[in-house]
């Protein structure tokens, strides 16, 4: 934080206005499509509206971890619910209904309740199914593909560690200075250096993940 404040060419006044923008930017990075957080979560996070600047000066990043953990909790629960619906043979998508869905999070308000989240995700699942069916997928295959997709997303949330969260939180602040300023965690820095040098010593094997299996 001190380096950004003292060494960046674009000076920023470290005040409550910066704190508010910092909070908004971080929340937008966590849930850009407004798919998981409820309005109650956003109201709770507002307690830090004028505090993030002061906390950052002291090296206190606990709000960033609190909000990320809430996102992981909401997202994991929703993705598990999606999988359960898709795997339930009694779940029927009615494609004859005249319905609309706004996918752009900037054009929607935060979800007011768990019931609203359920309604949004029912439409999102239906929309995903329609897209796959239009691409010549059979209903069963389309469901299986979506289950794999959601399972992968759950795994990704579970695999994020403190380095990942710290990087995300700090970059929400760095992004307020300019879009090209970023903090790299040690792991990200190592990968960046490998990509830039185009050299990597190894045994010629690469670990990848496919359908949750290494």
């Amino acid at each position: 934080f001190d380096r950004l404040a003292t060494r960046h060419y674009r000076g920023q006044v470290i005040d409550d206005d910066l704190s508010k923008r910092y909070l908004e930017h971080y929340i937008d990075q966590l849930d850009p499509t407004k798919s998981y957080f409820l309005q109650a979560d956003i109201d709770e996070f507002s307690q830090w509206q004028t505090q993030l600047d002061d906390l950052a000066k002291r090296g206190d990043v606990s709000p960033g971890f609190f909000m990320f953990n809430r996102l992981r909790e909401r997202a994991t629960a929703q993705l598990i619910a999606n999988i359960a619906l898709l795997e339930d043979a009694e779940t029927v998508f009615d494609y004859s209904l005249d319905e609309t869905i706004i996918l752009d999070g900037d054009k929607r308000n935060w979800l007011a309740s768990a019931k609203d989240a359920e309604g949004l995700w029912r439409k999102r699942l239906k929309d995903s199914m329609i897209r796959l069916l239009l691409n010549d997928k059979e209903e069963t295959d389309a469901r299986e593909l979506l289950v794999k997709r959601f399972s992968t997303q759950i795994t990704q949330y579970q695999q994020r560690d403190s380095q990942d969260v710290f990087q995300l939180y700090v970059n929400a602040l760095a992004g307020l200075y300019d879009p090209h300023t970023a903090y790299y965690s040690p792991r990200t820095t190592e990968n960046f250096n490998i990509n830039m040098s185009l050299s990597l010593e190894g045994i010629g094997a690469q670990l990848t993940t496919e359908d949750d299996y290494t």
Side-chain angles (χ1 to χ4, degrees), residues 38-52:
L38 303 181
Q39 181 62 54
D41 297 320
I42 304 303
D43 293 341
E44 185 176 2
F45 300 157
S46 67
Q47 65 180 294
W48 294 301
Q49 267 192 347
T50 60
Q51 297 181 21
L52 293 189

Side-chain angles (χ1 to χ4, degrees), residues 24-194:
E24 291 173 359
H25 194 199
Y26 184 57
I27 292 175
D28 184 61
Q29 285 192 327
L30 290 177
D31 190 7
T33 59
K34 295 181 179 176
S35 300
Y36 301 113
F37 283 140
L38 303 181
Q39 181 62 54
D41 297 320
I42 304 303
D43 293 341
E44 185 176 2
F45 300 157
S46 67
Q47 65 180 294
W48 294 301
Q49 267 192 347
T50 60
Q51 297 181 21
L52 293 189
D53 57 328
D54 300 317
L55 292 172
K57 290 177 183 178
R58 301 200 298 265
D60 187 344
V61 295
S62 57
F65 283 84
F66 182 92
M67 288 183 275
F68 176 81
N69 288 335
R70 179 64 58 82
L71 171 73
R72 178 156 53 190
E73 173 189 328
R74 297 287 190 202
T76 300
Q78 184 60 64
L79 294 170
I80 289 174
N82 292 349
I83 292 172
L85 277 175
L86 291 167
E87 291 181 336
D88 186 352
E90 295 184 1
T91 300
V92 177
F93 296 101
D94 188 350
Y95 302 116
S96 65
L97 291 177
D98 184 9
E99 294 184 303
T100 59
I101 181 174
I102 300 175
L103 297 177
D104 188 348
D106 292 334
K107 297 179 181 179
R108 286 191 289 103
N109 296 322
W110 292 103
L111 298 165
S113 64
K115 184 177 181 180
D116 286 345
E118 181 182 343
L120 171 68
W121 276 98
R122 180 188 63 79
K123 289 183 179 180
R124 286 192 63 169
L125 289 175
K126 181 178 175 180
D127 175 71
S128 296
M129 288 292 297
I130 290 174
R131 292 172 186 269
L132 291 172
L133 293 175
L134 289 175
N135 279 285
D136 299 325
K137 289 284 185 182
E138 296 294 330
E139 175 99 10
T140 301
D141 294 336
R143 290 190 181 220
E144 290 179 354
L145 181 59
L146 291 177
V147 167
K148 288 181 180 179
R149 184 181 300 172
F150 294 138
S151 297
T152 299
Q153 291 176 17
I154 292 173
T155 301
Q156 290 172 343
Y157 276 112
Q158 293 173 341
Q159 290 179 341
R160 286 192 176 183
D161 59 19
S162 58
Q163 285 190 23
D164 298 321
V165 181
F166 182 78
Q167 177 175 294
L168 184 64
Y169 187 57
V170 172
N171 280 332
L173 174 62
L176 298 179
Y177 283 79
D178 76 84
H180 306 294
T181 298
Y183 164 81
Y184 281 0
S185 68
R187 182 172 62 249
T188 304
T189 299
E190 181 181 4
N191 290 333
F192 175 79
N193 289 334
I194 289 173

